[in-house]
């Protein structure tokens, strides 16, 4: 069935054009290489309440792709865990060679495998090195004897934090990080285990949603976070699995009350959220921040020349209407002195209001947008002492599109008006290098649009320049690796829409089509060559 792509969704349109070029070049598609789906922050593996999928919402994107002949593996990794923990979970699940069927009960006893988090981080952050993790879910079939490795690599399609998790895993596989985990990441380069990485709405340069959320949290955030974590973990099977058992955040034993669990877990939650003294936090919230991703980018400075990379960006904001005050705005203002005149004298009040509204158009006088910002700041001044939160986000240059998921509106407003306030030697500490506050304000409700195209501008190229003809021959195909091919920006899709969650019908059809197109693109990529690309960064 033909899908009409909205004109504003340039990224998906460019992807469609690229796939059509591949078809016109008669490049054979090979669907035998499995596609691994890597979820983002707060992502879950099995359907919530048995029906609601991370990949597709009430629809099922992995199932849809498997019906088109692809083998799909859904890894089930910690929704709020650090990139290190998630990378270890992916490695353990894919090398175990054991998979659950989509219909298996997520809490089945035999649905767990061993995992080793290494010495380095468990020792620093006080959690168990050896624990259990879930198996991945397999849609479709793998060839007999399939074992993840250089002879059987995999494609990876990643949403949000999942992209940074995979960038870390690719870096760990380069053979230079044995000091972190000699069992999982010994001194041998195995990056050719990864054939391609697709990132969808990934914060490659971090996201300012972490700054916005910090200001929304109450003074005793640990109390709130602990109560939420105990609530979802309290009974087994869990309605939402945090997968933090190795941190001691476990379900209650028979006879234990909620408050008893709260008291037991609060110190552990505090350590997980804040980190030990003199160390940054070791969780997904920090790892998605600008500071957290800066650490990742310092470690994984350049892409692997063994891997094809494709990125897709999204923007679900629009300009704040810079309109002037109307007569109704002035007349209904609480302290406007003439709005209390009785009877016919009210006409005088309205006439005066119309005159004042016209005066507001004079240069230098506040617009309606400025007035709204002032009102929010006044509200913050009066509500902050009550202890509700640190700050309601102040509207800025950009505000959400009217079709954005309501749950994302507050964060989108805050990110759309975010201004850096932390500087050291004239360098903004809460912005990526060489990016201004204005450039970083467009967002999809969770991730800044400018962060999505890739981590290092020296290795990012326009996806419309991807040389399809080079796919047919080596070494030309190798020159397409080690580059972040940015497909463009789609502007009718928010962060939840990117995975089909709570997505309106027409938008969902475009999102599903995007995944189908990525499937065809990945199937066109030639087999991995054990050779380094000669690509040099653009300096």
């Amino acid at each position: 069935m033909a899908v009409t792509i909205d004109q504003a969704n340039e990224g998906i349109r460019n992807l469609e054009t690229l796939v059509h070029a591949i078809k016109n070049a008669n490049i054979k598609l090979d669907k035998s290489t499995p596609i691994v789906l890597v979820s983002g922050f707060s992502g879950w593996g099995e359907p919530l309440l048995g029906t609601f999928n991370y990949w597709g919402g009430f629809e099922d994107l992995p199932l849809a792709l498997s019906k088109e002949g692809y083998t799909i593996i859904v890894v089930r990794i910690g929704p709020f865990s650090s990139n290190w923990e998630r990378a270890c979970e992916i490695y353990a699940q894919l090398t175990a060679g054991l998979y659950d069927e989509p219909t298996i009960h997520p809490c089945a006893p035999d649905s767990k495998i061993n995992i080793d988090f290494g010495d380095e981080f468990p020792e620093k952050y006080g959690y168990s090195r050896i624990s259990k993790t879930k198996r991945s879910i397999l849609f479709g079939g793998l060839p007999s004897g399939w074992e993840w490795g250089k002879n059987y690599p995999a494609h990876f399609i990643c949403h949000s934090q999942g992209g940074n998790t995979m960038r870390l895993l690719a870096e760990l596989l380069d053979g230079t990080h044995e000091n972190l985990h000699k069992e999982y990441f010994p001194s041998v380069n195995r990056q050719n285990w990864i054939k391609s990485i697709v990132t969808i709405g990934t914060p490659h340069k971090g996201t300012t949603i972490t700054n916005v959320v910090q200001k929304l949290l109450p003074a005793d955030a640990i109390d709130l976070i602990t109560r939420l974590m105990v609530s979802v973990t309290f009974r087994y099977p869990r309605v939402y699995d945090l997968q933090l058992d190795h941190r001691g955040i476990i379900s209650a034993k028979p006879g234990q009350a909620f408050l008893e669990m709260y008291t037991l877990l609060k110190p552990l939650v505090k350590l997980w959220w804040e980190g030990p003294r003199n160390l940054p936090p070791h969780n997904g919230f920090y790892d998605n921040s600008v500071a957290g991703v800066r650490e990742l980018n310092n470690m994984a400075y350049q892409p692997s020349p063994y891997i094809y990379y494709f990125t897709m960006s999204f923007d679900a904001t629009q300009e704040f209407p810079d309109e002037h005050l109307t007569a109704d705005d002035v007349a209904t203002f609480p302290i406007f002195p003439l709005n209390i005149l009785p009877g016919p004298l009210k006409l005088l009040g309205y006439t005066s209001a119309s005159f004042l509204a016209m005066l507001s158009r004079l240069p230098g006088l506040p617009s309606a947008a400025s007035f709204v910002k002032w009102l929010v700041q006044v509200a913050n001044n009066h509500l902050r002492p009550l202890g509700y939160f640190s700050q309601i986000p102040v509207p800025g240059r950009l505000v959400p599109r009217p079709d954005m998921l309501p749950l994302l509106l507050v964060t989108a407003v805050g990110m759309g008006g975010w201004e850096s306030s932390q500087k050291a030697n004239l360098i903004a500490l809460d912005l990526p290098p060489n990016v201004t506050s204005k450039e970083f304000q467009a967002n999809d409700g969770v991730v800044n649009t400018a962060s999505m195209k890739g981590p290092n501008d020296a290795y990012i190229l326009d996806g419309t320049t991807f040389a399809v003809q080079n796919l047919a021959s080596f070494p030309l195909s190798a020159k397409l690796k080690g580059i972040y091919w940015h497909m463009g920006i789609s502007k009718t899709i928010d962060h939840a829409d990117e995975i089909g969650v709570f997505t309106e019908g027409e938008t969902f059809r475009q999102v599903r089509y995007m995944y189908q197109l990525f499937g065809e693109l990945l199937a066109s990529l030639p087999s991995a060559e054990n050779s380094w690309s000669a690509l040099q960064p653009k300096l």
Side-chain angles (χ1 to χ4, degrees):
M1 183 177 65
V3 176
T4 301
I5 304 174
D6 193 291
Q7 289 291 334
N9 290 334
E10 180 187 56
I12 301 179
R13 295 176 68 83
N14 290 340
L15 176 60
E16 180 186 50
T17 300
L18 176 57
V19 171
H20 285 172
I22 289 170
K23 291 179 178 178
N24 292 336
N26 295 318
I27 294 174
K28 183 180 178 180
L29 301 186
D30 178 8
K31 297 183 179 181
S32 64
T33 301
I35 298 173
V36 181
L37 300 183
V38 184
S39 57
F41 183 78
S42 79
W44 57 97
E46 60 278 347
L48 292 180
L49 303 176
T51 59
F52 195 69
N53 298 288
Y54 181 83
W55 301 97
F58 290 112
E59 301 290 337
D60 195 331
L61 289 174
L63 180 61
L65 289 171
S66 69
K67 287 182 177 179
E68 295 186 14
Y70 301 98
T71 297
I72 305 297
I73 299 173
V74 177
V75 290
R76 295 191 284 181
I77 54 182
F80 301 107
S81 295
S82 66
N83 282 323
W84 170 263
E85 293 161 289
R86 289 158 58 93
C88 289
E89 287 173 320
I90 294 172
Y91 183 88
Q93 290 178 26
L94 294 184
T95 55
L98 301 171
Y99 302 93
D100 282 343
E101 297 179 359
T103 56
I104 195 169
H105 193 285
C107 298
D110 58 351
S111 189
K112 295 290 183 78
I113 58 175
N114 293 327
I115 184 170
D116 182 348
F117 291 108
D119 284 327
E120 179 83 5
F121 293 101
E123 183 176 339
K124 284 183 177 180
Y125 288 92
Y127 60 88
S128 300
R129 170 178 177 168
I130 306 298
S131 187
K132 296 283 187 180
T133 186
K134 297 179 178 181
R135 297 179 183 178
S136 296
I137 301 174
L138 177 63
F139 292 79
L142 290 167
S144 177
W146 189 92
E147 181 178 337
W148 187 42
K150 67 177 182 179
N151 296 324
Y152 295 104
H155 300 293
F156 292 82
I157 296 180
C158 317
H159 179 237
S160 194
Q161 184 188 354
N164 283 338
T165 298
M166 275 309 303
R167 286 205 296 120
L168 174 61
L169 180 54
E171 175 66 23
L172 293 171
L173 289 172
D174 81 344
T176 64
H177 301 286
E178 185 180 24
N179 60 307
L180 297 178
H181 198 320
K182 63 181 180 181
E183 285 76 17
Y184 280 11
F185 311 117
S187 297
V188 55
N189 193 310
R190 296 176 294 166
Q191 290 181 323
N192 56 6
W193 291 22
I194 301 170
K195 191 168 183 179
S196 69
I197 296 176
V198 173
T199 65
I200 297 172
T202 288
H204 286 292
K205 297 178 180 178
T207 170
T208 55
I209 192 176
T210 55
N211 306 78
V212 174
V213 171
Q214 286 281 16
K215 289 182 175 297
L216 287 170
L217 289 174
D220 188 6
I222 299 301
D223 176 72
L224 173 63
I225 296 170
T226 302
R227 290 180 183 276
L228 290 174
M229 294 180 81
V230 172
S231 295
V232 298
T233 306
F234 190 64
R235 293 290 181 221
Y236 202 85
R238 300 161 182 167
V239 65
Y240 181 90
D241 196 347
L242 301 175
Q243 296 182 230
L244 291 172
D245 298 69
H246 58 288
R247 299 275 194 142
I249 301 173
I250 58 177
S251 300
K253 297 178 181 178
Q256 282 187 314
F258 181 91
L259 289 180
E260 182 181 357
M261 286 297 295
Y262 168 86
T263 303
L264 288 172
L265 295 187
K266 187 173 183 179
L268 298 175
V269 172
K270 180 179 174 64
L271 178 62
W272 171 81
W273 179 253
E274 297 178 352
R277 183 177 298 180
N278 300 325
L279 285 175
H282 187 57
N283 58 48
F285 188 79
Y286 176 77
D287 278 4
N288 282 298
S289 69
V290 172
V293 175
R294 184 182 291 118
E295 293 178 13
L296 170 63
N297 291 344
N298 288 339
M299 177 183 180
Y301 177 76
Q302 63 187 56
S304 166
Y306 285 104
I307 301 171
Y308 297 94
Y309 295 85
F310 302 93
T311 65
M312 183 73 80
S313 299
F314 304 87
D315 177 8
T317 59
Q318 59 187 354
E319 291 278 347
F320 195 116
D322 192 18
E323 299 175 349
H324 296 278
L325 297 173
T326 66
D328 286 338
D329 293 334
V330 176
T332 56
F333 190 65
I335 61 172
F336 182 58
L338 301 181
N339 64 5
I340 60 172
L341 292 175
L345 293 178
K346 283 189 175 181
L347 180 62
L348 175 62
Y350 186 79
T351 302
S352 301
S354 299
F355 177 70
L356 291 174
M358 286 190 293
L359 287 180
S360 73
R361 297 175 181 269
L362 294 175
L365 293 179
S367 64
S370 299
F371 194 64
V372 170
K373 296 175 187 177
W374 174 78
L375 284 176
V376 174
Q377 289 166 344
V378 169
N380 281 330
N381 291 338
H382 289 275
L383 291 174
R384 190 178 298 114
L386 299 179
Y388 286 111
F389 32 63
S390 299
Q391 178 180 306
I392 302 173
V394 178
R397 185 177 64 89
L398 298 175
V399 293
R401 285 170 48 96
D403 55 359
M404 180 179 282
L405 182 69
L407 289 174
L408 304 179
L409 293 177
V410 173
T411 54
V413 168
M415 296 169 70
W418 182 257
E419 296 285 348
S420 175
S421 59
Q422 304 176 24
K423 293 187 177 181
N425 298 325
L426 302 181
I427 298 175
L429 302 179
D430 52 2
L431 284 174
N434 305 316
V435 177
T436 66
S437 294
K438 184 177 180 180
E439 292 170 336
F440 218 52
Q441 287 172 346
N443 66 86
D444 65 357
V446 175
V447 177
N448 310 79
T449 304
S451 187
M452 300 179 193
K453 64 181 181 179
N456 186 334
D457 290 346
Y459 295 92
I460 299 171
L461 290 180
D462 187 338
T464 61
T465 66
F466 186 86
V468 170
Q469 67 275 12
N470 289 357
L471 293 175
S473 65
F474 177 79
L476 293 179
S477 59
K479 294 182 178 180
L480 300 173
K481 299 180 180 182
I483 300 170
Y484 292 97
W485 296 101
H486 181 231
M487 300 314 302
I489 303 173
S490 295
K491 295 188 175 183
T492 73
I493 295 171
D494 64 35
H495 202 71
D497 290 333
E498 293 158 20
I499 48 174
V501 168
F502 296 123
T503 303
E504 174 270 331
E506 182 55 38
T507 302
F508 181 82
R509 282 187 284 274
Q510 295 180 61
V511 170
R512 180 175 57 194
Y513 185 46
M514 176 183 71
Y515 282 90
Q516 292 169 344
L517 291 170
F518 270 127
E520 293 185 56
L521 171 59
L522 300 185
S524 75
L525 302 178
S527 299
E529 301 90 4
N530 298 320
S531 176
W532 287 87
S533 166
L535 173 74
Q536 295 296 322
K538 305 187 300 294
L539 300 176

